[in-house]
Amino acid sequence: MTSTTAGSPSLASRLSAFTKHGVAVSYVLLVVLIVVAVILNPAFASWANVKAQLQIATFIGIIAIGQTLVILTGQIDLSVPWNLTFSSILMATLYGQGYGFGVAIGAALLVGISVGLINAIGVAVFRLHSLVWTLGMNALLEGATMVYTNGQPPDSTIPSVVRFLAVGHLGGMPVSPLVWAFLSLVTILVLARSRFGRFLYATGNNEPALFLSGVDTRLVYVGAFVASGLCAVIGGILLTGYASQTYLGMGNDYLLVPIAAVIIGGTNIMGGAGGYVGTIAGTLIVVLLQSILSIAQIGQAGKNIVFGVIIIALVLLYAREARPTD
């Protein structure tokens, strides 16, 4: 006795189709969520609300650029929350102490590069699992931030340029989504047209084979993790401008959500398949979900549960697809 009738696809085949066509599915889901949100609240379609949603999506989307590159290699970066927090606080305090915009921004970016390099060394040189290594780096950065601030909320002096990039407008359009659009275009072109992009996919698919072909895969990991570190810093800088302040734990909400955006967008958590085109849809989906959950008066803890369940479900799905068949 079969579980499905002829011509009726099984649940397993539908799940398999998602892993193969995740990008298309994510955009269909995005359209469905938009329609549902507008039905629930017609004001959701107003230009004012659209701009607000895009600004929120910008922070997630930029951080998700780095996560996409890392996940394509089959790794993950859990150092984002306190990399974002420490670099943002460092930028604001240095600028407030009169060091100038260039020095403040440069110091923040240097933190991101350093964190990315250390993460890459742990994964590529010491061959440690990225989940454990980057989580340890996140804890280290949290401790460093507490020492730097003496555990007190820091005084924040935000450069006017940062404020403009975060909340400014050009021709009625918020500037921050334009920044995200530019970085998105660069990312898509890198993944589609560059050797580095091809190496990212190849590393996630079969790192030993790529290494035997003469490619130093350690440098691929360096590029991916440094990009992730920089994206966390850029996202944090824009978030600082948006909030007009820095505060301890400001990056805590950006641990699961960008990862969920990447996976919902069709990038295989096991590496080697996907891309940033899908992550854009995944980012907008998680922002819509956050809005719907907020309307339902579900707090941040509840939202984390929802995104955690999504990540676990999709990880199990991809693991099932990766399992060899007899």
Side-chain angles (χ1 to χ4, degrees), residues 274-294:
Y276 193 69
V277 172
T279 299
I280 294 173
T283 298
L284 297 175
I285 287 170
V286 298
V287 170
L288 286 173
L289 282 175
Q290 284 183 322
S291 297
I292 293 172
L293 293 173
S294 295

Side-chain angles (χ1 to χ4, degrees), residues 29-42 44-45 49 53 56 283-300 302-304 306-307 310:
L29 179 58
L30 175 61
V31 172
V32 171
L33 282 176
I34 291 174
V35 172
V36 170
V38 172
I39 291 174
L40 292 175
N41 183 9
F44 195 87
N49 184 70
Q53 297 297 317
I56 296 171
T283 298
L284 297 175
I285 287 170
V286 298
V287 170
L288 286 173
L289 282 175
Q290 284 183 322
S291 297
I292 293 172
L293 293 173
S294 295
I295 292 173
Q297 297 183 338
I298 296 176
Q300 188 59 46
K303 293 176 184 177
N304 287 340
V306 170
F307 291 120
I310 291 172

